Amino acid sequence: MRFQLTDDQHALRAGVRQLLERRFGHEALRAAVDAPGRLDRGLWRALGEAGFFALRLPEARGGVGLGLPEAVLVFEEAGRALLPGPLVATHLAAGSVPGAATGETVVAAVDGELVEWLDGADAVLGDTSGAVPLRSLDPLTPLHRVPVAGVTDPVGSLLTAAEQLGTAGRVCELAAQHARTREQFGRPVGAFQAVQHLCADLLVRAEIARVAVYAAAVTADPADIAAARLLADEAAVRGARDCLQVHGGMGFTWEADVHLHLKRAWVRAQRGDGDTQSEELLAARLAG
Amino acid sequence: MDLSYTPEEEEFRARLREWLAKVLPTLPDRPAPEDWPGRRAYDLGWQRMLHDAGYADVHWDASPTTRLIFLEETEEAGAPYVGANFVGLLHAGPTIAAEGTAEQRARWLPPILRGEEVWCQGFSEPGAGSDLAALRTRARREGDDYVVSGSKIWTSHAEVADWCELLVRTDPDAPRRRGISWLAMPMDAEGITVRPLRTLAGSAEFAEVFLDEVRVPVANRVGAEHDGWRVTMVTLSFERGTAFVGEVLACRRVLGQLACAARENGRWDDPVLRRRLGRLEAEFRALWRLTQWNVSAAEVSGGGVPGVGGSLFKLRYSHARQDLYDAAADVLGPDRLDLDRPWVLDRLSSLSYTIAAGTSQIQRTIVAERMLGLPRGR
Ligand SMILES: Cc1cc2nc3c(=O)[nH]c(=O)nc-3n(C[C@H](O)[C@H](O)[C@H](O)COP(=O)(O)OP(=O)(O)OC[C@H]3O[C@@H](n4cnc5c(N)ncnc54)[C@H](O)[C@@H]3O)c2cc1C
C-alpha cells in the first residue's frame, strides 16, 4: 500500500498548476468577474489540448488514458484556481459528445435541480424544458433552475468533491498568509490564539477531506465517494467562511477573492442533491 | 496512490486471521472495570499470547503497513484492547526504543513485549497539565541515584504499574524546558504512595502519585541529564501520533451496531437521526483513510517518530468519538440515562478524549504554529 502521490502524479499536479497560473491567473480571474457569463473559449481549448477533458479516455480513443486519481488531482487544481465553466459536465461528456474531449465543444448538464452555464454551452445534457434563469450568487457561474431534477453521476460527484478540496486548500493558505502578515495591536493577528485556532480548524478540515477524496478516487466505491463529497463540501464551505472571518473587513469587500471562493463552494455544494443524498447512501450502507 | 496490499502483507493478514479465529474463542471474558488486578492479569495474558505467537513486536518493529493490518484484523475479530499495556506498548516502549541505550532497550523492552510489565505515565502534576514545562517534582543527585520528591496526578494505570515514565526537574535554576529529565521509575520503590482518583465515569481509572524521597538509579535516565524535554516530545508524538489509530476501527464497529439498534427500536425512521449516522460513517471512513495516508507517508520517509500530523489526527478523532456517543444517546432515547445500557459509560469516557494526551486547544495551537507556520502566541 502506497497511499501517497506517485512521482508522475506530483508532476501532473505541478504541470496543471503552472498552466492555470499562466492562463488563468489573478488578473484573468478578475477580468472574468467583470464580464460575467462569458466563457473564455481560448482557455477552454487550451484545457482540451492539455488533456483536461480527455484525461480518462483510453489512448486508443484519442484520450490520455489516465484514471480517476489523476482526474481528481487535476480538478483539485481547477478548484484552487476558481476556474469557471461546466468543467465536470464537459469532462464527463468526453467520448460521447463530439468535440468535448478536445475542448472544441462546451457541454453543460442538468445536475439536481440546476444547470450551470446553460446559455454559454454548445450542448446540454438532460431535460432543460422549463428552465428559468436565476440571478446567480456566484458571479462566475450562471445558473438555471429546472423543474425535473437530473441524475447525478457518482464520478461527477467525486470530481466536484475534488474541486471543493482545491478551494479548501486554497482558502486555508490564504487565511494563514493573511494571519502571518496583517498586524493589529502591534503583532501579526496570527499570534492571537483565537485566529490560530480558526486557521488550525481550516487545515484539519482540508486534510481530512483530502484523504477522503483521494481514497474515493482509488476505490471508486459509491460510499467512499459520498463520504468524500460530505467532507469536501464541509471543508470548502466552512473553510471559505472562516477564511473570510480571518480577513476581517477586507474579507467582506468585492476586491478580495475570498467571497468568490465561498460563493463557488456554495454552488458546488448544491450539485446533485446536496448533503441529503450522500448521508442517506452512507446510512443505508450502515444498516445494510 | 494505491490502497492495495502486497502478497506478503496479504499472507500476514491470512495467517493472523486464522490464528485469531483459533485463540479468541478460548479467551475468558474481560474482568469488570473495577477489578484492577484481574484486568492487569487479563491484559498481560493477551499480550503474552501475542508474543508467543510472534505478533508482539508488531507495534514497533514491523512495517507500518503490517501494523495497520494487525489493527484491522484484531479489531475485526473482536480481539482484546491493549488496556493496561497502553503506555508501555504505545509510547514508553517506543520512546525507549528510539532514545534509550542498548542496555536500557534490553532491560525494558522485552518484558513489555512478553506481557510481564505494565507501565504508567507520570508527566502531569496538579500545577502542570497543558503547561507541562511547569512541572515541579524535583530530583536531586546523590551518588548513583536521583532522590525524587513531588507529586503526579491523573496517572492512568498507576495502581497496577511496574514502571513509570517519570518527568522530573533535575536543574531548578535552568530555564523551564532545560532542566528536565526523563526517568524510568520502579513503582515498588520506597516512598511512593498511589491514591486512586475516581473519574466522572465512576471508576478509578487514574490516580494521584505522591513521591517522597524516592531513589531512582541514574542509570534509569533515558536521554541526557536536563535533556528530558526533547525526550518528552518524542513520547508525546507517539502518544498523539499512533496510539489512537486502532480505536478508529472500533468506532466504525460501534456505528454499525448503532444502526442496527436504531432499526430495532424504530428510531431509524427519523431521517434526521439516519442522516446523522450517515455523516458519522463518512467521518470514520475518512479518519481511517487519514491513518492509511499517515502510515504510507511514514513508510515512504523510513518510519521513525511520528510528526505533528498526529496532532491533526488526534484533534479530529477526539471530537468524532464524542459525536459518535452523542448519537448513541439519540438512538437510546431515555435509556441514555441508564448506566446499565451499552454506550452510556462509553459516552461518559469519551469526554476525556479532548483533554487527555493534550487538550484540543493545545493541539490547535500546535497545528497552527507548526503546520501552518503562524507566529507564536504570547
Ligand atoms: C482520562 C485521563 C487520563 C490521563 N492520564 C494521564 C496519565 O496517565 N499521565 C499523565 O501524566 N497525565 C494524564 N492525564 C492528564 C492530561 O494529560 C491533562 O489533564 C491534560 O494535559 C490537561 O491538563 P490540565 O488537566 O492541567 O488542564 P489545564 O492545562 O489546566 O487546562 C484547562 C483548560 O484550559 C485550556 N488551556 C490551557 N492552556 C491553554 C493554552 N495555552 N491555550 C489555550 N487553552 C489552554 C485547556 O485546553 C483546558 O480547556 C490524563 C487525563 C485524563 C482526563
Side-chain angles (χ1 to χ4, degrees):
Chain A
M1 183 184 67
R2 275 290 155 98
F3 185 36
Q4 294 284 305
L5 266 54
T6 63
D7 291 345
D8 285 349
Q9 287 168 340
H10 277 294
L12 173 69
R13 182 167 71 178
V16 176
R17 187 170 298 186
Q18 255 171 21
L19 168 76
L20 292 181
E21 268 162 14
R22 206 172 57 241
R23 291 298 313 249
F24 195 68
H26 188 258
E27 269 172 40
L29 169 67
R30 296 313 300 206
V33 171
D34 291 339
R38 276 220 305 277
L39 259 188
D40 178 347
R41 294 294 184 133
L43 172 58
W44 206 259
R45 274 191 297 273
L47 291 173
E49 261 164 47
F52 194 100
F53 304 114
L55 196 76
R56 291 182 309 120
L57 271 191
E59 286 176 65
R61 294 177 58 203
V64 187
L66 291 173
L68 260 187
E70 287 75 23
V72 151
L73 292 174
V74 167
F75 273 80
E76 181 183 347
E77 290 305 316
R80 266 181 73 86
L82 271 172
L83 195 61
L87 296 161
V88 173
T90 304
H91 177 98
L92 292 177
S96 58
V97 175
T102 55
E104 292 302 320
T105 310
V106 176
V107 185
V110 178
D111 194 353
E113 289 173 79
L114 294 167
V115 198
E116 299 173 15
W117 292 95
L118 177 61
D119 293 336
D122 306 311
V124 185
L125 306 177
D127 182 0
T128 56
S129 47
V132 183
L134 308 182
R135 206 155 68 82
S136 175
L137 143 156
D138 175 9
L140 289 172
T141 313
L143 289 169
H144 282 72
R145 196 167 170 166
V146 290
V148 185
V151 203
T152 304
D153 181 312
V155 171
S157 192
L158 177 61
L159 296 179
T160 295
E163 291 184 288
Q164 295 286 57
L165 174 59
T167 292
R170 183 73 187 127
V171 294
C172 181
E173 279 171 23
L174 288 173
Q177 226 167 51
H178 188 73
R180 278 193 292 263
T181 47
R182 167 75 173 170
E183 291 200 8
Q184 290 291 293
F185 302 98
R187 62 215 306 216
V189 294
F192 297 113
Q193 201 175 60
V195 175
Q196 288 190 336
H197 288 193
L198 272 175
C199 292
D201 283 340
L202 270 159
L203 182 67
V204 173
R205 284 189 298 254
E207 290 306 300
I208 194 94
R210 174 180 313 285
V211 293
V213 169
Y214 290 177
V218 173
T219 67
D221 175 79
D224 278 339
I225 291 176
R229 198 43 210 281
L230 282 173
L231 291 159
D233 280 345
E234 181 202 33
V237 171
R238 201 58 255 168
R241 289 182 85 128
D242 286 354
C243 178
L244 199 146
Q245 181 69 21
V246 169
H247 277 76
M250 219 177 271
F252 198 70
T253 64
W254 189 264
E255 277 68 36
D257 290 344
V258 189
H259 70 106
L260 298 174
H261 286 288
L262 176 58
K263 289 165 178 173
R264 186 71 63 81
W266 269 334
V267 166
R268 295 192 205 110
Q270 198 60 40
R271 282 191 201 149
D273 187 16
D275 293 353
T276 316
Q277 210 173 34
S278 303
E279 285 168 346
E280 287 285 9
L281 188 147
L282 286 159
R285 272 285 178 105
L286 271 178
Chain B
M1 281 186 263
D2 179 15
L3 285 163
S4 62
Y5 296 93
T6 64
E8 296 78 51
E9 287 162 349
E10 288 297 0
E11 200 183 83
F12 171 82
R13 182 194 295 281
R15 220 170 350 109
L16 174 60
R17 189 178 289 184
E18 199 182 317
W19 180 75
L20 287 167
K22 201 169 73 212
V23 302
L24 289 182
T26 70
L27 283 186
D29 286 342
R30 192 162 197 252
E34 316 78 65
D35 177 8
W36 271 110
R39 272 173 66 180
R40 176 192 149 99
Y42 183 89
D43 294 344
L44 286 177
W46 171 239
Q47 180 59 27
R48 174 92 217 182
M49 288 173 74
L50 285 171
H51 174 269
D52 291 349
Y55 296 114
D57 62 348
V58 75
H59 293 292
W60 308 345
D61 288 343
S63 76
T65 305
T66 308
R67 173 158 186 255
L68 213 63
I69 295 172
F70 175 83
L71 293 171
E72 272 180 324
E73 290 302 319
T74 45
E75 175 49 42
E76 173 86 5
Y81 178 64
V82 282
N85 292 310
F86 187 86
V87 172
L89 273 179
L90 302 183
H91 52 89
T95 302
I96 293 166
E99 296 289 330
T101 62
E103 294 88 66
Q104 290 175 334
R105 291 200 294 268
R107 166 62 191 91
W108 287 309
L109 300 186
I112 294 175
L113 295 182
R114 284 197 301 261
E116 289 163 3
E117 290 179 347
V118 167
W119 282 66
C120 65
Q121 180 190 42
F123 282 12
S124 305
E125 297 181 10
S130 301
D131 186 12
L132 196 51
L135 66 93
R136 289 165 58 180
T137 292
R138 289 276 306 273
R140 137 186 122 246
R141 189 117 175 213
E142 253 181 37
D144 289 339
D145 288 339
Y146 287 111
V147 181
V148 182
S149 289
S151 70
K152 295 288 170 177
I153 194 167
W154 307 302
T155 316
S156 307
H157 306 124
E159 283 185 88
V160 295
D162 304 287
W163 293 94
C164 177
E165 46 174 14
L166 186 74
L167 291 189
V168 293
R169 189 162 293 287
T170 35
D171 181 356
D173 301 323
R176 293 171 0 124
R177 292 180 180 176
R178 299 263 172 76
I180 293 171
S181 298
W182 196 110
L183 305 181
M185 176 177 76
M187 288 298 282
D188 59 359
E190 192 108 358
I192 300 180
T193 310
V194 176
R195 189 193 297 158
L197 269 176
R198 246 162 97 89
T199 72
L200 58 72
S203 61
E205 199 69 40
F206 48 28
E208 286 177 283
V209 178
F210 299 95
L211 307 166
D212 180 18
E213 301 273 299
V214 180
R215 297 189 87 87
V216 179
V218 171
N220 286 19
R221 192 190 64 232
V222 175
E225 185 166 68
H226 312 322
D227 192 30
W229 186 256
R230 196 186 52 78
V231 184
T232 302
M233 291 304 112
V234 172
T235 309
L236 293 182
S237 68
F238 281 112
E239 187 177 10
R240 290 161 190 174
T242 46
F244 296 106
V245 162
E247 296 185 17
V248 171
L249 292 167
C251 286
R252 282 193 73 181
R253 190 161 44 90
V254 169
L255 192 53
Q257 291 166 349
L258 285 183
C260 290
R263 280 247 161 130
E264 273 162 32
N265 72 10
R267 300 276 287 134
W268 190 252
D269 297 336
D270 173 0
V272 175
L273 179 83
R274 216 167 48 224
R275 289 182 55 186
R276 190 159 160 211
L277 296 182
R279 191 168 267 274
L280 279 164
E281 168 66 2
E283 181 73 22
F284 283 104
R285 257 172 205 261
L287 281 164
W288 184 244
R289 297 313 190 185
L290 185 56
T291 300
Q292 293 176 313
W293 182 265
N294 289 342
V295 159
S296 292
E299 205 141 67
V300 168
S301 73
V305 179
V308 285
S311 285
L312 193 152
F313 173 84
K314 199 254 176 193
L315 181 52
R316 184 87 184 194
Y317 167 65
S318 56
H319 289 274
R321 187 179 175 102
Q322 291 175 356
D323 292 347
L324 172 69
Y325 286 106
D326 282 345
D330 277 9
V331 171
L332 286 168
D335 282 349
R336 72 180 68 184
L337 302 178
D338 179 354
L339 282 170
D340 284 333
R341 297 288 306 204
W343 307 315
V344 177
L345 208 54
D346 297 304
R347 185 173 184 220
L348 291 176
S349 305
S350 77
L351 298 173
S352 77
Y353 278 72
T354 48
I355 298 170
T359 67
S360 292
Q361 286 67 42
I362 295 297
Q363 309 295 354
R364 282 195 185 93
T365 301
I366 292 173
V367 169
E369 292 180 357
R370 299 205 219 146
M371 296 182 82
L372 287 173
L374 295 192
R376 290 180 60 91
R378 271 177 299 118

